[in-house]
Amino acid sequence: MTKERSLKKAKRSREILTLLAACLIAGIILYPFFWVLSTALKSDSELFVFPPKLIPAQIIWGNFADAWKLIDFPQSFLNSFMVSVPTAVLTVVLCSMAAYALTRMNFKYATAVFFLYLSTMMVPQVVRLIPSFVLVKNMGLMNRYTGLIFPLVAWAIPFGTFLIRQFFLGIPKELNEAAYVDGAGHFRIFIQVIVPNAVPGMLTLGTYVFLQSWNNLMWPLVALNKSEMFPITLAMASLTGPSVEFIPPWNEVMAATLISILPILLLYLFLQKYFIQSVALSGVKG
Amino acid sequence: MGEKGLSRMKRIRKRGIMIFLFLMPSMLLLLIFVLWPMLYSMVLSFYEWKPLKDNVFVGLANYKELLHDKLWWISVWNTLYYIALNVPLIMAMALGMAALVTHTKLSKLFRGIYFMPTMLSLVATGIAWNYLLGTNNGAVNGLLNACGLSSVKWLTSGKIAMVSIVIVTAWRWAGYYMVMLVAGMLGISEQYYEAASLEGARPWQKFWYITLPELKPILVFIALMSIIGSFQEFDLFYMITSGGPGTSTYVTGYYMYQTAFSSMRMGYASAMSVVLFVVILIFTLLQNKFTKSE
């Protein structure tokens, strides 16, 4: 009896310890977020107080208004959207079509084609960078949305096809075989049978690719040189960093950083499940 | 050939066209922006390539220059140093997070928080940490002072700058790999743990003798994946240190970018990219080998 009780007690204290440790790590992860917010709200003079205080002595909401003027936020957000949304949609459509062919059309070389797609994952970013730049330049696509979109789609295709294929394999074959017997063509089966059953998979891939292209720095850095085309990442990068001569006051920079990540944080709030799932899937199946 | 054979051939041809239609768009993009660039990189690496001027074939000259390029070897060393610090730290953190979070109350909430940095662009991450790690009025030094420790020159000391970037990298990526490990942990059969409990195993024993061995394939996958990723890391170095102070955080990806797009020496940079490709390819093949054999 007493042994059981002490065992229970040990289990309980272990649970509390785990919870405390989990909170500690959460604190470490959230620490920068709190400081960014706190700094964004500080007055100019308080920036030089050391050690800095987490709760500002005086809260200056006007910093956000000043930060809004640092870069052309509406234009940068628009640029980011005009690149990320088409990239995500196009990737999902093309990968779904490829995955349909690979899983539903039973042709001889399906496995070989699938491995070809997979093997292109081995080509790292550094290798494709320079030739892609040359290509986009020669095609006259520098400083254009399409010059960003097409390469980004291409680079997302290997993983995307892999992911969607996994989802398609989970859809019972009887569904499309029944439709085939009824005389439906591949386009109709694809759109009316397979796609409606693979919506979660497509959303998972879509959110993943959207985020990847929204956050991408290197490709816009290479393929754009007109500042009115800059997506939010590049616009923010031109604000601070060691290559910048004049860095605005930190409170405004932090306020601008918060504004810049707000759309993604909101999206995360609603689509968390899909973001996390895309990562979990890429790990388990290797 | 009878009527039947003809219609059968027609059907086969129609099927071929359909397969082609479904595969062509994605294949075309792969050819243009992945396979062709790979080959063209190799070709370019044999040329002295200057914009506005003609390409000059120089044979292996770029590779020979690379052998004697001091900055290249410094950047190689720095990259290896970055990986050696980075990969174990990320894995330990991801494993710790996953172990804490898998079966805890509020597990969803914690997972959501740990994964959050993964959402941020490396640009925003870089800007925020640039401020946090400031020597004179950064929050991290403020915290150290509050604990009675002295300030650290996080970004201005050549010895410490790389460690700083490693901390930022781990903060940004640990949650990403945690998600994979949680998925793996949830896949381990409860029966193992129940049997161990009956034998009187302690929690850390269960973790050491059941969880870790069961997770081995995923751990190997994560290790190789973060090695491959670290080889290419560019954004954080660009945003936080630009390779400095001095050359202390000059890494291969950053040097290649500089050579190609600041010095405009595309041929030489291509030679670098080909060398990097070979190294990364070796790790990728290792990864495939391990994940297949498990």
Side-chain angles (χ1 to χ4, degrees), chain B residues 139-181:
Chain B
V140 174
N141 274 346
L143 185 71
L144 287 183
N145 288 14
C147 301
L149 299 162
S150 52
S151 292
V152 175
K153 289 179 178 170
W154 292 108
L155 301 174
T156 43
S157 152
K159 278 185 192 141
I160 301 169
M162 188 61 92
V163 178
S164 307
I165 295 209
V166 167
I167 293 173
V168 179
T169 313
W171 178 83
R172 170 72 177 11
W173 286 106
Y176 183 87
Y177 296 118
M178 170 204 72
V179 168
M180 294 181 188
L181 287 171

Side-chain angles (χ1 to χ4, degrees), chain A residues 129-145:
Chain A
L129 191 70
I130 296 169
S132 301
F133 163 75
V134 176
L135 205 60
V136 163
K137 207 173 169 205
N138 290 342
M139 289 164 123
L141 295 179
M142 284 282 285
N143 290 313
R144 280 167 190 259
Y145 291 138

